[in-house]
Amino acid sequence: MSTAAEERFDSTRGVARLWYGVLAGAAAWKLQLVVNYAVVPWACWHRVEAVNHLASLAMVALALSGAWVAWGSWKATGEGWDTDPGGGVLGRSRFMALGGMALSGFLALVILGQWIPNLLLSPCDGIH
């Protein structure tokens, strides 16, 4: 079991999946923040406020995809909580997978929290 998991996470694809799980939530959070600020003048001018909602929904999906990929990586390591089974590839992979699940999941909640004001208030109220 550990030999197959070590081979999987010693490959470029396995390492890329681990990094995707860790970084997808942070990238989604940053993109949601930047896009929502950048499109407000255009959306208000064209009276298309749904652009902010679509961007937030897409970024929640991106963050959750990072958590899901990290979860799949964690399952492939044997679903253990021990992040240092003698060091090496398996310990590092398990640590990154657990961190990716936590970080991407948390940042999906942050994105939802930043979306709530857009649902309750119009960003166009201050622009005329």
Side-chain angles (χ1 to χ4, degrees), residues 39-52 124:
V39 300
V40 165
W42 180 88
C44 292
W45 180 260
H46 295 289
R47 300 193 191 285
V48 185
E49 293 182 36
V51 174
N52 284 348
C124 300

Side-chain angles (χ1 to χ4, degrees), residues 41-115:
W42 180 88
C44 292
W45 180 260
H46 295 289
R47 300 193 191 285
V48 185
E49 293 182 36
V51 174
N52 284 348
H53 301 300
L54 292 174
S56 294
L57 181 64
M59 295 308 118
V60 166
L62 178 63
L64 289 176
S65 76
W68 189 32
V69 167
W71 177 72
S73 296
W74 175 69
K75 287 188 67 79
T77 65
E79 301 181 24
W81 297 105
D82 183 17
T83 59
D84 189 20
V89 173
L90 198 58
R92 175 209 53 183
S93 301
R94 195 171 287 153
F95 176 77
M96 287 183 72
L98 288 169
M101 284 191 298
L103 186 61
S104 290
F106 172 72
L107 288 171
L109 292 174
V110 169
I111 293 168
L112 285 172
Q114 288 180 336
W115 188 8

Side-chain angles (χ1 to χ4, degrees), residues 24-37 55 59 62 111:
W29 173 56
K30 184 64 174 177
L31 281 171
Q32 187 247 3
L33 189 64
V34 169
V35 168
N36 277 344
Y37 273 111
M59 295 308 118
L62 178 63
I111 293 168

